[in-house]
Amino acid sequence: MSLAEKGDASCNGVLSSPSKPAASSTVDVPPNNKGEPHHNEEHGDIRAATQLWLDSILSSYSFMWRLSIVLVAILSWYYAYPTTGDTQQQEYDPWAIWGRGFDFTKEREFWILDEDLPEDIATDLLSTNEEIRLEATARRQLDPLKWDTFDYWEIYHYFACKKLLTNRPVWSEQLFRDVRDFYHSFVENDDTPFIGLFRSTYQANDDVYDMSQNAIPYLSGGEKGRGLKAARDIKEGEVIFKFTNNTIIFNDGHTMRKFLFAMNERFSDPGMVCDILIWAWVQDMPCGTPFAGVVDLDNGNLLNDWANEEGLLNTDFVKAAQDYSANIRCEVGVDVCYASKGIIEGEELLGDYSDFVSYYSWTSLGL
């Protein structure tokens, strides 16, 4: 007996042996006296036709499912790497992954008159730096009384982050502790602790992890400003970072907005708000709300992306693949980041933000 035959016999609940044929699981029924097919044969034909119909439907469903996956992949690729219709390389915008940016052309109702301009905005409007001038123009259009409607980039420019982020220090451990303590106080006094069935903000877990044994912060200069270096020789596959009780998650954009403005009021340092803004990212969560804002309140937030300042996030994918230099990769779901290759002590740690960042998604969070 073949394996297939044994399987069929077992499934039918009939055991057979080499010396004795298997008992038939069907009963021979003679045709009726009129010479017409017996009704059991008719039922068999109906079952066969029904099975054929179901198979055709499932086949069509499978084809449509595969087609939809292909279309989603094409559209995702298109929106992640938009083109202008030519083959020239696009200009690299290192901040583009956080959102579409501030619309400087939009006409807003609010406008601070020249005679009422705060001194810092008036000074920035005369700056020789065009980006600082543009930011000052944006700031005079942002009504402080409508702070609760600001999106990500409006908050960014309201606190003059373009100017303040040019020379930010590395945070001390004490400052991180102070901000974490403030976060707990904020949560205790939050008037909207739940968004539907989900908490509006919470810690990722209760784990404690000492990252200092793997990475040390440093001032990297240039566009990056700050970064992380390996504190020792690291073997491929070693865990370097992980979600801990220092990782806070915002399921609601307005709750994050409230936290940022409350933090500025508590510490009187807009630069700290700017730091949180550029350290935070939007992530597609495996459970809970579809998107959440995430930020590490420890030095793990200083992990820089592998793309260099000349710009590899463009249409030159061959060059990007050749120059790929990330030595840290992250697994979403298990929420750990590990060394993807051997790293020597003092080497800069570089991640791949595409492992966990949901690009252009601040608006999906309400920011």
Side-chain angles (χ1 to χ4, degrees):
M1 178 182 289
S2 68
L3 291 176
E5 291 170 333
K6 289 181 180 179
D8 290 342
S10 299
C11 290
N12 289 323
V14 180
L15 300 178
S16 60
S17 66
S19 59
K20 184 178 181 179
S24 174
S25 60
T26 60
V27 178
D28 293 332
V29 180
N32 58 28
N33 294 333
K34 297 181 180 180
E36 299 174 352
H38 195 274
H39 67 277
N40 282 351
E41 295 178 13
E42 293 177 343
H43 289 172
D45 292 341
I46 294 174
R47 284 196 296 270
T50 302
Q51 184 63 47
L52 182 61
W53 177 72
L54 288 174
D55 288 344
S56 65
I57 290 178
L58 291 175
S59 177
S60 300
Y61 175 79
S62 177
F63 170 76
M64 293 302 296
W65 174 250
R66 291 188 177 92
L67 179 61
S68 65
I69 292 176
V70 172
L71 290 175
V72 168
I74 293 174
L75 289 174
S76 299
W77 185 272
Y78 174 80
Y79 284 108
Y81 302 98
T83 60
T84 57
D86 54 34
T87 58
Q88 294 181 352
Q89 292 187 176
Q90 296 180 3
E91 182 180 355
Y92 172 57
D93 179 4
W95 303 109
I97 62 173
W98 306 122
R100 296 294 183 180
F102 185 87
D103 184 2
F104 291 98
T105 64
K106 178 181 177 180
E107 293 186 5
R108 294 171 170 82
E109 296 179 0
F110 186 77
W111 183 265
I112 302 177
L113 299 176
D114 290 345
E115 57 269 24
D116 298 326
L117 279 173
E119 184 178 351
D120 62 329
I121 296 182
T123 301
D124 291 346
L125 286 170
L126 300 176
S127 173
T128 57
N129 186 316
E130 182 181 2
E131 292 182 332
I132 301 300
R133 292 199 308 273
L134 279 174
E135 180 169 72
T137 302
R139 292 173 66 196
R140 74 185 304 178
Q141 299 177 66
L142 296 173
D143 186 351
L145 297 179
K146 296 183 178 180
W147 66 271
D148 56 342
T149 66
F150 289 176
D151 62 25
Y152 178 93
W153 285 105
E154 287 172 335
I155 298 172
Y156 180 90
H157 291 303
Y158 178 81
F159 287 108
C161 293
K162 173 60 70 174
K163 177 177 64 174
L164 296 179
L165 287 172
T166 55
N167 189 25
R168 289 292 297 163
V170 172
W171 285 25
S172 66
E173 286 299 324
Q174 183 59 52
L175 183 55
F176 276 121
R177 281 193 291 269
D178 290 344
V179 173
R180 290 194 293 264
D181 289 342
F182 170 73
Y183 170 76
H184 292 303
S185 175
F186 170 82
V187 172
E188 290 176 1
N189 296 285
D190 185 18
D191 57 357
T192 54
F194 287 91
I195 303 300
L197 298 176
F198 308 106
R199 294 196 64 86
S200 56
T201 181
Y202 59 96
Q203 293 169 274
N205 53 52
D206 296 326
D207 293 348
V208 177
Y209 184 74
D210 183 11
M211 187 190 65
S212 62
Q213 60 185 322
N214 301 323
I216 53 176
Y218 80 107
L219 294 173
S220 57
E223 185 76 26
K224 296 177 180 178
R226 293 160 290 187
L228 292 173
K229 285 185 177 181
R232 57 179 175 82
D233 290 343
I234 299 173
K235 296 180 181 179
E236 181 179 351
E238 284 193 62
V239 173
I240 308 302
F241 312 103
K242 61 186 299 186
F243 271 18
T244 68
N245 59 354
N246 294 338
T247 304
I248 58 175
I249 298 173
F250 292 92
N251 280 329
D252 172 54
H254 185 53
T255 301
M256 184 173 180
R257 185 188 292 116
K258 289 191 298 182
F259 173 72
L260 293 171
F261 277 85
M263 193 176 77
N264 181 65
E265 184 176 347
R266 162 63 178 80
F267 293 97
S268 300
D269 184 355
M272 292 176 61
V273 176
C274 297
D275 283 337
I276 295 296
L277 276 172
I278 65 167
W279 290 339
W281 68 91
V282 178
Q283 184 170 317
D284 187 1
M285 306 302 286
C287 58
T289 55
F291 293 100
V294 186
V295 64
D296 291 319
L297 295 181
D298 57 31
N299 281 322
N301 52 49
L302 297 181
L303 178 68
N304 284 318
D305 190 56
W306 69 276
N308 62 28
E309 295 172 25
E310 283 75 32
L312 296 177
L313 297 181
N314 49 40
T315 54
D316 190 355
F317 301 116
V318 175
K319 175 175 171 51
Q322 292 172 343
D323 294 341
Y324 189 80
S325 58
N327 50 25
I328 302 294
R329 299 303 301 272
C330 300
E331 293 185 11
V332 176
V334 292
D335 299 325
V336 298
C337 298
Y338 60 90
S340 58
K341 60 180 73 173
I343 305 172
I344 62 174
E345 181 179 354
E347 183 179 349
E348 183 177 12
L349 301 180
L350 296 171
D352 187 335
Y353 287 173
S354 66
D355 285 343
F356 51 90
V357 173
S358 294
Y359 297 146
Y360 308 114
S361 296
W362 282 111
T363 54
S364 300
L365 191 65
L367 287 174

